[in-house]
Amino acid sequence: MDNRIVIANCGAISFLVGLLYSTDTRLQANAVTALLNLSINNNKKTAIINADAIEPLIYVLQTGSPDARENSAATLFSLSVIEENKVKIGRSGAIQPLVDLLGIGTPRGRKDAATALFNLSIFNENEARIVQAGAVKYLVELMDPAAGMVDKAVAVLSNLATIPEGRVAIGQEGGIPVLVEVVELGSARVKENAAAALLQLCPSSNRFCNMVLQEGAVPPLVALSQSGTPRAREKAQVLLSYFRNQRNAGQG
């Protein structure tokens, strides 16, 4: 940690950013890895952004070796921890290559891309960009427990479900059955995020509401309403009460 501060204070950042365009793949990979390590220090995140690193990092994300692409995604994630950087990175064109990495990257590359996309999706303006870049299809695929990424995929989907185009994409890409499955089988935090996504989907569309019910969501939601985290219990109770009101209205 001490060395990171010394290296950055010696003026290394701008030289490392320049090396991201190197045609020597090993040099490029070492430069991006060094920037990733420097970015762990909060004070250096701003220095990296101020050295105009975003475009070169996107270049590595698109053209680098698998290792370099992973570390570029991880660096963008690290930089996006700072609020104003979420805006800059989202507007710079980083989202499409991050989504591409989500689809075709190594397991670690996919995790780094998903984590970066989660951070970026916290800023409203980026949500539509992430949906338009085709992320929902990959996120639904990554909800397969075998991928080892259910928690990250559900966290991003839960943010994307807050906008109309996100909800439409989740419905179209087969996201509803897997969200219901996660409410039943996921970890406490994952169940909470899945319930949050369903709570966005059901009131927005009768068709989605019926799909959720047909997938057998009520028993796992009842269980969640009794034994989940406080936030998950609240979401499950609101959903169950919504289903009851819909049923009563239908009978009336």
Side-chain angles (χ1 to χ4, degrees), residues 21-22 24 28 40 52 60 90 111 120 123 131 134 158 181 192 197 215-216 221 241 243:
Y21 286 116
S22 172
D24 180 332
Q28 185 190 55
I40 293 165
D52 295 327
V60 176
K111 274 187 180 160
L120 293 171
F123 180 63
V131 174
S158 149
E181 191 179 334
E192 186 183 300
E215 289 298 330
L221 283 169
S241 132
F243 294 148

Side-chain angles (χ1 to χ4, degrees), residues 56-73:
L57 283 167
I58 294 170
Y59 175 77
V60 176
L61 198 53
Q62 292 170 316
T63 65
S65 65
D67 274 357
R69 294 179 78 185
E70 285 166 12
N71 286 342
S72 177

